[in-house]
Short mmCIF file of all heavy atoms in Angstrom, two decimals:
data_model
loop_
_atom_site.label_atom_id
_atom_site.label_comp_id
_atom_site.label_asym_id
_atom_site.label_seq_id
_atom_site.Cartn_x
_atom_site.Cartn_y
_atom_site.Cartn_z
N ARG A 1 -49.81 52.70 51.57
CA ARG A 1 -48.70 51.77 51.75
C ARG A 1 -48.73 51.12 53.13
O ARG A 1 -47.71 51.05 53.83
CB ARG A 1 -47.35 52.45 51.50
CG ARG A 1 -47.18 53.23 50.21
CD ARG A 1 -47.52 52.40 48.97
NE ARG A 1 -46.95 52.98 47.75
CZ ARG A 1 -47.64 53.76 46.89
NH1 ARG A 1 -48.91 54.09 47.15
NH2 ARG A 1 -47.06 54.22 45.79
N LEU A 2 -49.90 50.62 53.52
CA LEU A 2 -50.06 50.00 54.83
C LEU A 2 -49.90 48.49 54.74
O LEU A 2 -50.24 47.88 53.71
CB LEU A 2 -51.41 50.36 55.42
CG LEU A 2 -51.64 51.85 55.71
CD1 LEU A 2 -53.04 52.07 56.25
CD2 LEU A 2 -50.61 52.39 56.67
N GLY A 3 -49.43 47.88 55.81
CA GLY A 3 -49.20 46.46 55.86
C GLY A 3 -50.42 45.67 56.34
O GLY A 3 -51.55 46.19 56.40
N GLY A 4 -50.19 44.42 56.67
CA GLY A 4 -51.27 43.50 57.01
C GLY A 4 -52.12 43.88 58.19
O GLY A 4 -53.26 43.44 58.31
N LEU A 5 -51.59 44.73 59.09
CA LEU A 5 -52.40 45.15 60.25
C LEU A 5 -53.59 46.01 59.83
O LEU A 5 -54.52 46.18 60.60
CB LEU A 5 -51.54 45.93 61.24
CG LEU A 5 -50.50 45.11 62.02
CD1 LEU A 5 -49.66 46.01 62.91
CD2 LEU A 5 -51.17 44.01 62.85
N ALA A 6 -53.56 46.53 58.61
CA ALA A 6 -54.66 47.37 58.11
C ALA A 6 -55.65 46.54 57.27
O ALA A 6 -56.56 47.11 56.67
CB ALA A 6 -54.12 48.51 57.29
N ARG A 7 -55.49 45.23 57.27
CA ARG A 7 -56.42 44.37 56.53
C ARG A 7 -57.83 44.51 57.10
O ARG A 7 -58.01 44.51 58.32
CB ARG A 7 -55.96 42.93 56.60
CG ARG A 7 -56.86 41.96 55.84
CD ARG A 7 -56.28 40.56 55.80
NE ARG A 7 -57.12 39.68 54.97
CZ ARG A 7 -56.73 38.52 54.48
NH1 ARG A 7 -55.49 38.10 54.72
NH2 ARG A 7 -57.55 37.79 53.75
N MET A 8 -58.83 44.59 56.23
CA MET A 8 -60.21 44.78 56.69
C MET A 8 -60.86 43.48 57.17
O MET A 8 -61.56 43.47 58.16
CB MET A 8 -61.03 45.41 55.57
CG MET A 8 -62.30 46.08 56.03
SD MET A 8 -61.99 47.50 57.09
CE MET A 8 -63.63 48.21 57.24
N ASN A 9 -60.63 42.39 56.43
CA ASN A 9 -61.33 41.14 56.78
C ASN A 9 -60.51 39.95 56.34
O ASN A 9 -59.91 39.94 55.27
CB ASN A 9 -62.70 41.09 56.11
CG ASN A 9 -63.46 39.81 56.43
OD1 ASN A 9 -63.62 39.46 57.59
ND2 ASN A 9 -63.91 39.11 55.40
N THR A 10 -60.54 38.89 57.16
CA THR A 10 -59.99 37.59 56.79
C THR A 10 -61.14 36.61 56.70
O THR A 10 -61.75 36.27 57.73
CB THR A 10 -58.97 37.10 57.84
OG1 THR A 10 -57.91 38.08 57.95
CG2 THR A 10 -58.37 35.76 57.41
N PRO A 11 -61.55 36.20 55.49
CA PRO A 11 -62.72 35.32 55.33
C PRO A 11 -62.59 34.05 56.18
O PRO A 11 -61.50 33.51 56.36
CB PRO A 11 -62.72 34.99 53.84
CG PRO A 11 -62.03 36.15 53.22
CD PRO A 11 -60.97 36.55 54.20
N GLY A 12 -63.74 33.61 56.69
CA GLY A 12 -63.77 32.39 57.47
C GLY A 12 -63.38 32.58 58.92
O GLY A 12 -63.29 31.60 59.67
N THR A 13 -63.13 33.82 59.35
CA THR A 13 -62.77 34.08 60.74
C THR A 13 -63.75 35.07 61.36
O THR A 13 -64.38 35.88 60.65
CB THR A 13 -61.36 34.66 60.86
OG1 THR A 13 -61.32 35.99 60.28
CG2 THR A 13 -60.35 33.80 60.13
N VAL A 14 -63.91 35.00 62.66
CA VAL A 14 -64.76 35.94 63.40
C VAL A 14 -63.92 36.62 64.45
O VAL A 14 -63.17 35.96 65.18
CB VAL A 14 -65.96 35.21 64.05
CG1 VAL A 14 -66.80 36.21 64.87
CG2 VAL A 14 -66.82 34.53 62.99
N GLY A 15 -64.03 37.93 64.55
CA GLY A 15 -63.19 38.68 65.47
C GLY A 15 -61.99 39.27 64.74
O GLY A 15 -61.50 38.69 63.77
N ASN A 16 -61.56 40.40 65.19
CA ASN A 16 -60.38 41.09 64.61
C ASN A 16 -60.60 41.49 63.15
O ASN A 16 -59.64 41.60 62.38
CB ASN A 16 -59.13 40.23 64.74
CG ASN A 16 -57.85 41.08 64.73
OD1 ASN A 16 -57.83 42.17 65.29
ND2 ASN A 16 -56.81 40.60 64.08
N ASN A 17 -61.86 41.67 62.75
CA ASN A 17 -62.19 42.11 61.41
C ASN A 17 -63.00 43.42 61.45
O ASN A 17 -63.60 43.73 62.47
CB ASN A 17 -62.99 41.06 60.67
CG ASN A 17 -62.20 39.80 60.40
OD1 ASN A 17 -61.03 39.87 60.05
ND2 ASN A 17 -62.82 38.63 60.55
N TRP A 18 -62.99 44.12 60.32
CA TRP A 18 -63.85 45.28 60.10
C TRP A 18 -63.50 46.50 60.95
O TRP A 18 -64.25 47.45 60.99
CB TRP A 18 -65.31 44.93 60.32
CG TRP A 18 -65.72 43.65 59.73
CD1 TRP A 18 -66.11 42.52 60.41
CD2 TRP A 18 -65.78 43.30 58.35
NE1 TRP A 18 -66.39 41.49 59.55
CE2 TRP A 18 -66.18 41.95 58.26
CE3 TRP A 18 -65.51 44.01 57.16
CZ2 TRP A 18 -66.36 41.30 57.04
CZ3 TRP A 18 -65.66 43.35 55.96
CH2 TRP A 18 -66.09 42.02 55.90
N TRP A 19 -62.34 46.51 61.61
CA TRP A 19 -62.08 47.58 62.58
C TRP A 19 -61.18 48.69 62.05
O TRP A 19 -61.14 49.78 62.62
CB TRP A 19 -61.46 47.01 63.86
CG TRP A 19 -60.21 46.24 63.67
CD1 TRP A 19 -60.09 44.88 63.61
CD2 TRP A 19 -58.87 46.75 63.50
NE1 TRP A 19 -58.76 44.52 63.42
CE2 TRP A 19 -58.01 45.65 63.35
CE3 TRP A 19 -58.34 48.05 63.47
CZ2 TRP A 19 -56.63 45.79 63.17
CZ3 TRP A 19 -56.97 48.20 63.27
CH2 TRP A 19 -56.13 47.06 63.13
N TRP A 20 -60.41 48.44 60.95
CA TRP A 20 -59.41 49.43 60.56
C TRP A 20 -60.04 50.74 60.13
O TRP A 20 -61.06 50.79 59.44
CB TRP A 20 -58.58 48.91 59.37
CG TRP A 20 -57.59 49.93 58.93
CD1 TRP A 20 -56.40 50.25 59.52
CD2 TRP A 20 -57.74 50.86 57.84
NE1 TRP A 20 -55.80 51.31 58.85
CE2 TRP A 20 -56.61 51.70 57.82
CE3 TRP A 20 -58.74 51.07 56.88
CZ2 TRP A 20 -56.42 52.71 56.88
CZ3 TRP A 20 -58.57 52.09 55.94
CH2 TRP A 20 -57.41 52.88 55.94
N ARG A 21 -59.38 51.84 60.52
CA ARG A 21 -59.83 53.16 60.09
C ARG A 21 -58.67 54.14 60.05
O ARG A 21 -57.62 53.95 60.69
CB ARG A 21 -60.93 53.70 61.00
CG ARG A 21 -60.54 53.90 62.45
CD ARG A 21 -61.74 54.32 63.29
NE ARG A 21 -62.28 55.58 62.87
CZ ARG A 21 -61.98 56.75 63.44
NH1 ARG A 21 -61.14 56.81 64.47
NH2 ARG A 21 -62.52 57.87 63.02
N MET A 22 -58.85 55.18 59.26
CA MET A 22 -57.87 56.27 59.19
C MET A 22 -58.05 57.19 60.39
O MET A 22 -59.16 57.37 60.88
CB MET A 22 -58.08 57.07 57.90
CG MET A 22 -58.00 56.25 56.63
SD MET A 22 -58.57 57.18 55.19
CE MET A 22 -57.28 58.40 55.02
N THR A 23 -56.98 57.77 60.82
CA THR A 23 -57.08 58.76 61.90
C THR A 23 -56.81 60.17 61.40
O THR A 23 -56.93 61.14 62.14
CB THR A 23 -56.10 58.45 63.04
OG1 THR A 23 -54.78 58.31 62.49
CG2 THR A 23 -56.49 57.13 63.73
N ALA A 24 -56.44 60.28 60.12
CA ALA A 24 -56.18 61.58 59.47
C ALA A 24 -56.47 61.45 57.99
O ALA A 24 -56.36 60.35 57.43
CB ALA A 24 -54.76 62.03 59.72
N PRO A 25 -56.84 62.53 57.32
CA PRO A 25 -57.06 62.47 55.88
C PRO A 25 -55.79 62.03 55.14
O PRO A 25 -54.67 62.21 55.64
CB PRO A 25 -57.45 63.90 55.51
CG PRO A 25 -57.94 64.51 56.79
CD PRO A 25 -57.12 63.87 57.88
N ALA A 26 -55.97 61.48 53.95
CA ALA A 26 -54.83 61.09 53.13
C ALA A 26 -53.98 62.31 52.78
O ALA A 26 -54.52 63.39 52.52
CB ALA A 26 -55.29 60.39 51.87
N PRO A 27 -52.67 62.19 52.77
CA PRO A 27 -51.80 63.34 52.45
C PRO A 27 -51.92 63.73 50.97
O PRO A 27 -52.39 62.94 50.12
CB PRO A 27 -50.39 62.81 52.76
CG PRO A 27 -50.50 61.33 52.64
CD PRO A 27 -51.88 60.98 53.08
N ASP A 28 -51.50 64.93 50.65
CA ASP A 28 -51.59 65.43 49.29
C ASP A 28 -50.78 64.58 48.31
O ASP A 28 -51.06 64.55 47.11
CB ASP A 28 -51.10 66.88 49.22
CG ASP A 28 -52.15 67.85 49.75
OD1 ASP A 28 -53.33 67.46 49.84
OD2 ASP A 28 -51.79 68.99 50.06
N THR A 29 -49.74 63.89 48.81
CA THR A 29 -48.94 63.05 47.93
C THR A 29 -49.78 61.95 47.29
O THR A 29 -49.51 61.54 46.15
CB THR A 29 -47.77 62.43 48.70
OG1 THR A 29 -48.27 61.77 49.89
CG2 THR A 29 -46.74 63.47 49.10
N VAL A 30 -50.78 61.46 48.01
CA VAL A 30 -51.68 60.43 47.44
C VAL A 30 -52.50 61.05 46.32
O VAL A 30 -52.66 60.44 45.25
CB VAL A 30 -52.59 59.84 48.53
CG1 VAL A 30 -53.64 58.92 47.91
CG2 VAL A 30 -51.78 59.09 49.57
N LYS A 31 -53.02 62.23 46.54
CA LYS A 31 -53.80 62.92 45.49
C LYS A 31 -52.94 63.16 44.25
O LYS A 31 -53.41 62.97 43.12
CB LYS A 31 -54.33 64.26 46.05
CG LYS A 31 -55.33 64.94 45.13
CD LYS A 31 -55.74 66.30 45.70
CE LYS A 31 -56.42 66.19 47.04
NZ LYS A 31 -56.92 67.50 47.54
N GLN A 32 -51.70 63.55 44.46
CA GLN A 32 -50.80 63.79 43.33
C GLN A 32 -50.51 62.50 42.59
O GLN A 32 -50.45 62.48 41.34
CB GLN A 32 -49.50 64.43 43.85
CG GLN A 32 -49.69 65.84 44.40
CD GLN A 32 -48.53 66.29 45.26
OE1 GLN A 32 -47.50 65.61 45.36
NE2 GLN A 32 -48.68 67.43 45.94
N GLU A 33 -50.34 61.39 43.32
CA GLU A 33 -50.09 60.10 42.70
C GLU A 33 -51.29 59.70 41.84
O GLU A 33 -51.11 59.22 40.70
CB GLU A 33 -49.82 59.04 43.77
CG GLU A 33 -49.59 57.64 43.20
CD GLU A 33 -49.39 56.59 44.29
OE1 GLU A 33 -49.61 56.91 45.49
OE2 GLU A 33 -49.05 55.46 43.94
N ILE A 34 -52.50 59.90 42.37
CA ILE A 34 -53.70 59.53 41.62
C ILE A 34 -53.82 60.36 40.36
O ILE A 34 -54.11 59.82 39.27
CB ILE A 34 -54.94 59.70 42.51
CG1 ILE A 34 -54.92 58.70 43.67
CG2 ILE A 34 -56.22 59.53 41.70
CD1 ILE A 34 -55.97 58.96 44.74
N ARG A 35 -53.63 61.65 40.47
CA ARG A 35 -53.74 62.53 39.31
C ARG A 35 -52.77 62.10 38.19
O ARG A 35 -53.13 62.07 37.02
CB ARG A 35 -53.43 63.98 39.72
CG ARG A 35 -54.56 64.66 40.46
CD ARG A 35 -54.10 66.04 40.90
NE ARG A 35 -55.15 66.80 41.56
CZ ARG A 35 -54.95 67.91 42.26
NH1 ARG A 35 -53.71 68.37 42.40
NH2 ARG A 35 -55.95 68.54 42.84
N ALA A 36 -51.54 61.79 38.58
CA ALA A 36 -50.54 61.39 37.60
C ALA A 36 -50.95 60.08 36.91
O ALA A 36 -50.80 59.93 35.68
CB ALA A 36 -49.17 61.22 38.28
N LEU A 37 -51.48 59.13 37.68
CA LEU A 37 -51.92 57.85 37.11
C LEU A 37 -53.11 58.03 36.18
O LEU A 37 -53.18 57.40 35.11
CB LEU A 37 -52.26 56.88 38.23
CG LEU A 37 -51.08 56.32 39.03
CD1 LEU A 37 -51.55 55.65 40.30
CD2 LEU A 37 -50.27 55.32 38.17
N ILE A 38 -54.04 58.86 36.58
CA ILE A 38 -55.23 59.11 35.74
C ILE A 38 -54.82 59.73 34.40
O ILE A 38 -55.31 59.33 33.33
CB ILE A 38 -56.23 60.01 36.49
CG1 ILE A 38 -56.92 59.22 37.61
CG2 ILE A 38 -57.29 60.57 35.52
CD1 ILE A 38 -57.80 60.06 38.49
N GLU A 39 -53.90 60.68 34.46
CA GLU A 39 -53.45 61.33 33.22
C GLU A 39 -52.68 60.33 32.34
O GLU A 39 -52.89 60.27 31.12
CB GLU A 39 -52.57 62.53 33.56
CG GLU A 39 -52.12 63.29 32.31
CD GLU A 39 -51.34 64.55 32.66
OE1 GLU A 39 -51.22 64.88 33.86
OE2 GLU A 39 -50.84 65.20 31.71
N LYS A 40 -51.81 59.56 32.96
CA LYS A 40 -50.96 58.64 32.21
C LYS A 40 -51.77 57.53 31.53
O LYS A 40 -51.48 57.15 30.39
CB LYS A 40 -49.91 58.02 33.14
CG LYS A 40 -48.92 57.10 32.43
CD LYS A 40 -47.85 56.62 33.41
CE LYS A 40 -46.84 55.74 32.71
NZ LYS A 40 -45.77 55.26 33.63
N TYR A 41 -52.83 57.06 32.23
CA TYR A 41 -53.56 55.89 31.73
C TYR A 41 -54.98 56.24 31.31
O TYR A 41 -55.81 55.35 31.19
CB TYR A 41 -53.54 54.78 32.77
CG TYR A 41 -52.15 54.23 32.98
CD1 TYR A 41 -51.44 54.55 34.14
CD2 TYR A 41 -51.53 53.46 32.01
CE1 TYR A 41 -50.14 54.08 34.33
CE2 TYR A 41 -50.23 53.00 32.20
CZ TYR A 41 -49.54 53.31 33.34
OH TYR A 41 -48.26 52.86 33.53
N ASN A 42 -55.25 57.52 31.12
CA ASN A 42 -56.54 57.96 30.56
C ASN A 42 -57.72 57.42 31.36
O ASN A 42 -58.62 56.80 30.80
CB ASN A 42 -56.62 57.53 29.09
CG ASN A 42 -57.87 58.09 28.38
OD1 ASN A 42 -58.37 59.16 28.76
ND2 ASN A 42 -58.40 57.37 27.43
N ARG A 43 -57.71 57.66 32.65
CA ARG A 43 -58.81 57.18 33.51
C ARG A 43 -59.59 58.37 34.09
O ARG A 43 -60.03 58.33 35.22
CB ARG A 43 -58.30 56.29 34.62
CG ARG A 43 -57.86 54.92 34.10
CD ARG A 43 -57.82 53.85 35.17
NE ARG A 43 -57.48 52.56 34.62
CZ ARG A 43 -58.33 51.69 34.10
NH1 ARG A 43 -59.63 52.01 34.01
NH2 ARG A 43 -57.92 50.52 33.64
N GLY A 44 -59.80 59.38 33.27
CA GLY A 44 -60.54 60.55 33.72
C GLY A 44 -62.05 60.46 33.50
O GLY A 44 -62.76 61.44 33.73
N GLY A 45 -62.53 59.31 33.06
CA GLY A 45 -63.98 59.13 32.88
C GLY A 45 -64.51 59.72 31.59
O GLY A 45 -65.71 59.95 31.44
#
């Protein structure tokens, strides 16, 4: 749930691109959200 400051690239521009990175692993709440979505929409491969 990050805003525009976490954008990776703006096409047609040079500078201020490609720099965003995480400073900590994603929290367990993200893993739980993914699991629920996979089960609900049958995306388990």
Side-chain angles (χ1 to χ4, degrees):
R1 308 306 198 263
L2 297 178
L5 289 177
R7 181 173 184 163
M8 199 65 171
N9 179 53
T10 302
T13 68
V14 178
N16 205 37
N17 293 320
W18 317 113
W19 56 262
W20 178 79
R21 62 186 297 263
M22 302 169 69
T23 54
D28 284 342
T29 52
V30 172
K31 189 184 298 184
Q32 293 162 7
E33 179 182 9
I34 294 169
R35 284 175 176 166
L37 287 166
I38 288 173
E39 182 176 356
K40 183 175 181 179
Y41 294 106
N42 186 29
R43 288 202 177 273

